[in-house]
Amino acid sequence: METYESVLLVKPEVFVFNIPPRASNRGYRAADWNLAEPSWTGRLRLVSKGEECFIKLEDKNSGELFAKCPIDTYPGVAVESVTDSSRYFVLRIQDDNGRSAFVGIGFGDRSDSFDLNVALQDHFKWLRKEKQISEEPNQPELDLRFKEGETIKINMKITKKDGSDVATRPKPRGGGGLGLLPPPPGGSKLPAPPGSSPAGSPSHVASKPENAAESWGDFTTANPSASAPSPSNSNSNWVQF
């Protein structure tokens, strides 16, 4: 299967510098370069083809290749940051014959160098993830088919046209609910308790005026003009009856 080239990053302007040999193992310093006079200015493209990754320095207008930097790992020898600035890097460029040289590159904007750093990290992180997935043992596929004789039960919620639910409740059977008690047979009244006097007897009625006089005693004393019935008159009335 043919592998296609993917473009990971494009920066329209990059500066290339001739750098002196490294003086010590501490790293490169951009202050040692002639930053005011770059040796070349062009376009940078970060591309990948399968597991291979390259930085290509090309002409802005024609796209002619100026130099190519193959990258095996990052961070590493192929792309190295300087110790005194975040906008400059050292690239190990190679030609088709395998000869290599080190050049310095720099960006006018700090965000361009940040984008290059992030794009390289994301690419090699993706390669490590793909390698990890390929080395994992194949998991057996799950068999989600129904076995012979196996069934399932589905509870469906039925709704009316107006959106209300249809309640499927059992109807109450006769005699199962609570109702009013029937009246007693015959409709006969209960007899009066023994020893009670009739309601129309004089002795039962005569006790009411006496109680009434006692309860209204305070009001008769407060209002002298009001006259209360005397017990003698009430007794005489009963005698005449």
Side-chain angles (χ1 to χ4, degrees), residues 2-225:
E2 186 178 358
T3 305
Y4 295 94
E5 184 178 274
S6 301
V7 179
L8 305 179
L9 181 70
V10 176
K11 290 300 175 181
E13 186 177 52
V14 62
F15 305 99
V16 178
F17 304 92
N18 293 323
I19 61 175
R22 182 185 297 187
S24 63
N25 294 329
R26 295 180 180 179
Y28 293 96
R29 296 177 70 251
D32 299 334
W33 308 346
N34 188 8
L35 301 179
E37 297 180 1
S39 60
W40 184 83
T41 304
R43 178 180 66 187
L44 180 143
R45 285 201 310 146
L46 177 65
V47 298
S48 66
K49 188 175 182 180
E51 296 183 357
E52 298 178 351
C53 184
F54 302 93
I55 289 180
K56 292 185 177 182
L57 303 177
E58 302 171 341
D59 186 83
K60 291 182 180 180
N61 301 321
S62 63
E64 182 182 359
L65 181 65
F66 172 75
K68 181 173 66 173
C69 172
I71 306 172
D72 300 329
T73 182
Y74 182 79
V77 180
V79 181
E80 185 177 353
S81 301
V82 298
T83 59
D84 58 345
S85 177
S86 61
R87 295 189 292 120
Y88 297 92
F89 300 88
V90 176
L91 302 184
R92 185 186 63 183
I93 59 176
Q94 290 183 354
D95 59 7
D96 296 335
N97 298 324
R99 293 177 301 181
S100 62
F102 291 91
V103 296
I105 65 169
F107 300 96
D109 193 351
R110 196 178 302 274
S111 62
D112 293 339
S113 60
F114 176 80
D115 294 341
L116 176 61
N117 188 20
V118 172
L120 287 170
Q121 290 180 359
D122 291 344
H123 173 72
F124 285 97
K125 182 179 179 180
W126 174 77
L127 289 180
R128 289 192 297 269
K129 190 67 175 178
E130 287 291 320
K131 183 178 179 181
Q132 181 181 358
I133 294 175
S134 62
E135 292 177 354
E136 291 181 356
N138 295 329
Q139 299 292 336
E141 296 183 0
L142 295 177
D143 186 9
L144 302 178
R145 295 175 297 179
F146 286 102
K147 305 298 186 295
E148 184 178 357
E150 186 178 2
T151 59
I152 61 174
K153 182 180 179 181
I154 301 176
N155 294 325
M156 299 181 64
K157 185 178 181 181
I158 304 174
T159 57
K160 296 180 180 179
K161 293 183 178 180
D162 56 356
S164 59
D165 297 341
V166 178
T168 57
R169 298 180 180 178
K171 296 181 180 180
R173 299 180 180 178
L178 297 178
L180 298 177
L181 297 176
S188 60
K189 298 182 179 180
L190 297 176
S196 61
S197 60
S201 63
S203 60
H204 180 72
V205 178
S207 61
K208 292 183 178 180
E210 296 177 357
N211 296 333
E214 293 177 0
S215 60
W216 287 92
D218 296 338
F219 293 94
T220 55
T221 56
N223 188 6
S225 62

